């Protein structure tokens, strides 16, 4: 007789999308013990037997079990160092200094700009006044000159010098200086010189016949003309001229006028002026003095305004910065780990609201930190519970001559209610059990442990599936919470006679592949879940079935975690695909079968 080998497998159902190739992910919790009988004398017949534990409806793909020592602490609040370990240190100017400097700078800029605007408007106004005065003065001077020439010219002058003498004699009578002072009193500060120039009939060089100068007059000026304009028949020149060591801008107003003097001799040999030009020199010293005064006043205003703005800025910055400084101190205390510190608002403005909000945030952070620590403890305890639960599962697959048995187990959550086991009934009988406790988490894992303990006791030296489950139900129903129940498929393998006895307590059916006919059979004897009823109803409904195993046959036990696994399109694996897989890959080794069914 060939030697049998027994193998078991457990897979995890997931609700997540599948891999890029569209393969099926394993169910949440499942176990597939697959049994194969090796035929004698090289025959290739096989018996498959697989079982899987019912998966969690909310399972998620789990690729490995995370150890307690490997748990990530990302996002958790450290309890052994301050929260402000990575907080940057405040450097540079304080907020009050920045505010003071900003206000002072703005004040200086605004005051300086205002002073420049005032200076420009003053210069523009004074320049216009000088222009108006100069134009009026040169017109008046031209009229005066024309009258003076007509009075002074007699027609008997042989030379121009004689004419100049007559002009000087008559100018005293006209009193032009008094006229200027009466008509234009503002000339007191701007007047430099006024000249009268004439050209004679011989077109020789012009002759200055009259000059009314103030001080040194215009004779001491040297320089170049900067600009020439003409307004109302009057030429205006702006020249930068140097007098001694000083430099001054001077406006020169020139007006030409004709002299209608008839010649007194037919030969025309005597001196006769034909045209004249009135010239007036006005200084811009008044403008310079006014601008200097404006600049001086502006500088004083800037200094005073800067001091006042600095004082105001210091007061405002203190009013704003003091509550913020206190808030910053409170934040520093909190960031160092003292979540019991209470932040008191010191103002009723936005800073006070920020302090109140920060205090509320601190309290929430304290609560969140406490919750996180508690969650970490619970997670650690769940990890420990999961490790304990893993210890309760078979550490090795039984070695039975002639059979190939393998199992795989992987839980979606830390703790689950799925369970499989191999129980040695006696020397020739092995019990294979797979069960699913309703629900998940700690309650399901506790009831799974209770059920395992009870069933292990009830299975020893008890070759009847019905009797073992009845004994288990009687003890479990007194201890299980109302509304909780356990589905279970219990099979006993008679390794000597190759007979499989089986009972189902409301579990998924067993699939049996017959190698001889290359066909599948379903076995699902009547029965209700463990824990629903304390005895009579459970005993009446529970039945036991029996089947003969032949070389090459394979039986499969599974839960809905196998058939409810989903791919990336959220399509369930389903009973049809499971049966197709069994028919197609019935010849696989049990270990390959249970660990690769969802990849093939």
């Amino acid at each position: 007789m060939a030697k049998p080998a027994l193998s078991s497998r457990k897979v995890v159902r997931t609700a997540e999308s599948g891999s890029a190739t569209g393969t099926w992910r394993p169910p949440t919790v499942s176990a597939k013990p697959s049994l194969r009988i090796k035929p004698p004398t090289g025959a290739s017949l096989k018996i498959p037997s697989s079982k899987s534990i019912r998966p969690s409806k909310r399972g998620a793909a789990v690729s490995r079990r995370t150890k307690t020592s490997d748990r990530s602490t990302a996002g958790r609040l450290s309890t052994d160092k301050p929260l402000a370990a990575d907080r940057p240190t405040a450097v540079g100017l304080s907020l009050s200094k920045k505010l003071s400097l900003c206000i002072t700078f703005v004040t200086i800029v605004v005051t300086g700009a205002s002073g420049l605007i005032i200076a420009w408007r003053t210069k523009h106004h004074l320049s216009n006044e000088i222009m108006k005065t100069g134009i009026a003065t040169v017109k008046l001077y031209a009229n005066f000159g024309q009258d003076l020439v007509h009075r002074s010219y007699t027609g008997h002058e042989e030379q121009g010098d004689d004419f100049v003498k007559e002009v000087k004699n008559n100018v005293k009578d006209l009193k032009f200086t008094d006229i200027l002072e009466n008509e234009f009193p503002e000339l007191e500060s701007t007047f430099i010189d006024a000249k009268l120039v004439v050209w004679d009939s011989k077109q020789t060089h012009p002759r200055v016949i009259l000059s009314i100068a103030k001080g040194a007059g215009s004779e001491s000026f040297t320089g170049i003309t900067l600009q020439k304009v003409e307004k109302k028949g009057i030429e205006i020149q702006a020249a930068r001229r140097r007098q001694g060591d000083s430099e001054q801008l001077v406006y020169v107003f020139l007006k030409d006028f004709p002299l209608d003097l008839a010649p007194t001799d037919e030969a025309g040999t005597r001196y006769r002026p034909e045209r004249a030009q009135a010239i007036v020199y006005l200084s811009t010293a008044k403008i310079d003095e006014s601008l200097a005064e404006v600049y001086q006043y502006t500088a004083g205003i800037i200094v005073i305004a800067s001091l006042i703005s600095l004082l105001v800025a210091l007061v405002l910055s203190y009013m704003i910065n003091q509550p913020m400084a206190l808030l910053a101190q409170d934040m520093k205390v909190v960031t160092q780990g003292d979540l019991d510190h209470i932040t008191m608002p010191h103002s009723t403005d936005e800073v006070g609201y920020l302090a109140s909000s920060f205090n509320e945030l601190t309290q929430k952070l304290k609560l969140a930190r406490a919750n996180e620590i508690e969650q970490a403890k619970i997670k650690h305890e769940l990890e420990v519970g999961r490790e304990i639960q893993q210890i309760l599962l078979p550490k090795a697959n039984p070695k039975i001559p002639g059979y190939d048995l393998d199992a795989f187990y992987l839980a979606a959550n830390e703790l689950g209610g799925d369970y499989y086991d191999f129980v040695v009934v006696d020397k020739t009988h092995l019990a294979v059990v797979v069960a699913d406790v309703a629900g998940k988490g700690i309650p399901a894992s506790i009831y799974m442990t209770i059920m395992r303990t009870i069933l292990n006791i009830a299975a020893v030296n008890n070759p009847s599936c019905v009797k073992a489950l009845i004994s288990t139900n009687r003890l479990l129903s007194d201890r299980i919470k109302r509304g909780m129940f356990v589905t279970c498929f219990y099979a006993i393998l008679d390794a000597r006679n190759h007979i499989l006895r089986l009972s189902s307590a409301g579990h998924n059916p067993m699939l049996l592949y017959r190698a001889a006919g290359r066909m599948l059979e379903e076995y699902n004897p009547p029965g209700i879940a463990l824990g629903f009823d304390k005895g009579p109803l459970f005993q009446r409904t529970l039945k036991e079935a029996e089947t003969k195993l032949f070389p090459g046959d394979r039986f499969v036990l599974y839960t809905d975690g196998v058939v409810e696994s989903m791919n990336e399109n959220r399509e369930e694996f389903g009973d049809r695909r499971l049966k197709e897989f069994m028919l197609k890959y019935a010849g696989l080794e049990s270990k390959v079968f249970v660990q690769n069914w969802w990849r093939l």
Side-chain angles (χ1 to χ4, degrees):
M1 180 176 178
K3 294 182 179 180
L6 189 65
S7 66
S8 155
R9 172 187 181 229
K10 167 183 166 189
V11 283
V12 176
R13 171 184 177 270
T14 177
E16 297 178 356
S17 61
S19 64
T21 58
T23 57
W24 296 89
R25 290 185 181 269
T28 307
V29 178
S30 66
K32 280 190 179 180
S34 179
L35 181 75
R36 186 187 70 170
I37 298 179
K38 294 182 179 179
T41 63
S44 61
L45 300 177
K46 300 176 183 177
I47 292 183
S49 164
S50 98
K51 88 181 171 179
S52 68
I53 296 180
R54 177 168 300 182
S56 169
K57 301 299 182 182
R58 54 181 177 85
V62 178
S63 60
R64 65 181 179 90
R65 177 172 60 87
T66 304
K67 295 182 179 179
T68 304
S69 60
D70 294 336
R71 291 197 315 272
S72 173
T73 58
R76 295 175 53 195
L77 295 175
S78 173
T79 57
D80 56 355
K81 66 179 180 179
L83 297 177
D86 299 328
R87 182 174 59 86
T89 304
V91 295
L93 295 175
S94 63
L95 182 61
S96 60
K97 292 181 179 179
K98 291 179 180 178
L99 182 61
S100 301
L101 290 176
C102 288
I103 294 178
T104 304
F105 176 75
V106 171
T107 302
I108 292 175
V109 171
V110 172
T111 307
S114 301
L116 292 177
I117 293 174
I118 293 174
W120 178 83
R121 291 182 63 86
T122 301
K123 179 180 179 180
H124 182 71
H125 174 72
L126 293 178
S127 297
N128 289 336
E129 291 296 326
I130 290 177
M131 289 289 183
K132 293 179 181 179
T133 303
I135 292 173
T137 301
V138 77
K139 287 182 177 180
L140 180 64
Y141 192 52
N143 294 331
F144 169 76
Q146 191 173 23
D147 185 35
L148 179 63
V149 169
H150 282 281
R151 285 192 179 194
S152 302
Y153 182 71
T154 61
H156 301 288
E157 291 84 354
E158 297 292 337
Q159 296 180 355
D161 294 337
D162 299 333
F163 176 69
V164 172
K165 290 179 182 179
E166 291 294 331
V167 169
K168 290 182 178 180
N169 292 329
N170 293 323
V171 73
K172 296 178 181 180
D173 298 334
L174 295 177
K175 298 181 180 180
F176 180 72
T177 305
D178 296 337
I179 296 174
L180 288 179
E181 291 178 356
N182 294 329
E183 292 291 334
F184 306 103
E186 61 272 15
L187 288 176
E188 179 66 24
S189 60
T190 59
F191 182 77
I192 296 176
D193 196 355
K195 292 181 179 181
L196 187 61
V197 180
V198 297
W199 282 262
D200 58 23
S201 58
K202 298 179 180 181
Q203 298 295 321
T204 59
H205 63 277
R207 181 185 298 271
V208 178
I209 61 173
L210 179 64
S211 177
I212 305 175
K214 181 180 180 181
S218 61
E219 299 300 330
S220 61
F221 281 94
T222 60
I224 60 174
T225 300
L226 299 179
Q227 184 180 5
K228 289 183 179 181
V229 295
E230 185 173 346
K231 291 184 177 181
K232 301 178 181 180
I234 299 174
E235 181 182 341
I236 304 174
Q237 299 179 2
R240 180 70 65 179
R241 305 202 177 195
R242 184 177 299 276
Q243 184 180 19
D245 295 333
S246 63
E247 192 177 70
Q248 187 179 18
L249 180 66
V250 176
Y251 287 124
V252 182
F253 300 86
L254 303 96
K255 181 175 177 57
D256 294 326
F257 58 92
L259 298 176
D260 299 327
L261 301 177
T264 56
D265 61 330
E266 296 180 358
T269 56
R270 295 180 181 180
Y271 176 80
R272 183 175 68 85
E274 290 189 348
R275 65 184 182 89
Q277 184 181 62
I279 306 174
V280 175
Y281 297 86
L282 298 183
S283 172
T284 61
K286 183 178 180 181
I287 297 178
D288 296 337
E289 292 174 359
S290 300
L291 291 180
E293 187 176 356
V294 170
Y295 292 147
Q296 183 177 1
Y297 284 138
T298 302
I301 293 174
I302 289 177
V303 173
I304 296 174
S306 300
L307 294 177
I308 295 175
S309 64
L310 183 61
L311 179 62
V312 173
L314 290 175
V315 174
L316 290 177
S317 62
Y318 176 81
M319 296 173 61
I320 297 174
N321 189 58
Q322 184 64 15
M324 297 189 67
L326 296 175
L327 176 59
Q329 294 177 1
D330 292 333
M331 294 174 67
K332 183 178 180 180
V333 173
V334 172
T335 54
Q336 289 177 347
D338 186 6
L339 298 180
D340 294 324
H341 180 75
I342 298 178
T343 303
M344 299 298 295
H346 297 278
S347 63
T348 57
D349 53 10
E350 290 81 357
V351 179
Y353 175 75
L354 181 61
S356 301
S357 301
F358 179 75
N359 189 56
E360 183 179 355
L361 178 63
T362 303
Q363 300 305 314
K364 291 182 178 179
L365 182 62
K366 177 182 177 182
L367 180 61
R369 184 176 183 181
N371 291 337
E372 190 171 7
I373 294 174
E374 185 65 24
Q375 290 294 327
K377 292 180 180 178
I378 294 175
K379 185 176 181 180
H380 175 69
E381 293 173 357
L382 291 175
E383 290 284 351
V384 174
R386 181 178 180 181
E387 293 178 358
I388 296 174
Q389 191 178 46
Q390 292 285 337
I391 294 174
L392 296 178
L393 296 175
K395 295 181 176 60
N397 299 319
K399 302 299 181 181
I400 301 177
Y403 292 90
D404 179 20
L405 182 66
D406 196 272
F408 173 76
Y409 183 89
L410 185 62
N413 300 318
E414 287 81 359
L415 294 175
D418 299 320
Y419 158 68
Y420 81 95
D421 203 357
F422 305 113
V423 183
V424 178
V425 178
D426 53 35
K427 293 182 179 181
T428 60
H429 293 81
L430 176 69
V432 182
V433 57
V434 60
D436 182 10
V437 180
K440 298 295 174 186
I442 296 177
S445 65
I446 293 175
Y447 288 125
M448 182 273 286
T449 305
I450 296 174
M451 185 264 184
R452 174 189 179 277
T453 303
I454 297 174
L455 186 59
N456 272 261
I457 296 173
V460 177
N461 296 321
N462 188 354
S464 172
C465 296
V466 171
K467 291 181 180 180
L469 290 179
I470 289 174
S471 299
T472 301
N473 181 70
R474 183 175 62 253
L475 297 175
L476 181 64
S477 59
D478 291 334
R479 293 166 176 79
I480 197 168
K481 180 182 177 182
R482 183 176 180 85
M484 298 286 290
F485 58 89
V486 181
T487 64
C488 175
F489 202 101
Y490 186 74
I492 298 177
L493 174 64
D494 184 349
R496 177 181 297 174
N497 300 314
H498 308 298
I499 295 176
L500 187 64
R501 299 182 183 89
L502 44 97
S503 293
S504 175
H507 202 73
N508 299 83
M510 181 191 78
L511 296 179
L512 176 60
Y513 172 78
R514 294 295 186 181
R518 296 183 181 180
M519 58 181 295
L520 289 178
E521 296 177 359
E522 280 192 8
Y523 287 85
N524 194 13
I528 63 174
L530 299 169
F532 269 139
D533 179 71
K534 293 185 177 181
L537 180 61
F538 184 83
Q539 295 179 19
R540 288 197 305 269
T541 56
L542 188 64
K543 303 298 179 182
E544 182 175 304
E546 181 179 303
T547 185
K548 179 71 174 179
L549 299 178
F550 300 96
D553 290 353
R554 183 190 297 273
F555 70 88
V556 176
L557 300 178
Y558 64 95
T559 62
D560 54 5
V562 174
V563 296
E564 291 181 359
S565 357
M566 294 184 180
N567 62 3
E568 69 248 8
N569 297 323
R570 301 191 64 81
E571 297 174 343
E572 291 188 350
F573 188 73
D575 296 292
R576 179 180 59 83
R577 287 189 176 91
L578 177 60
K579 293 176 181 179
E580 291 175 353
F581 174 81
M582 288 187 62
L583 290 172
K584 185 176 181 180
Y585 298 102
L588 293 176
E589 295 287 337
S590 294
K591 183 176 182 179
V592 178
F593 183 89
V594 297
Q595 295 195 5
N596 293 280
W597 64 270
W598 55 280
R599 294 189 181 97
L600 301 176

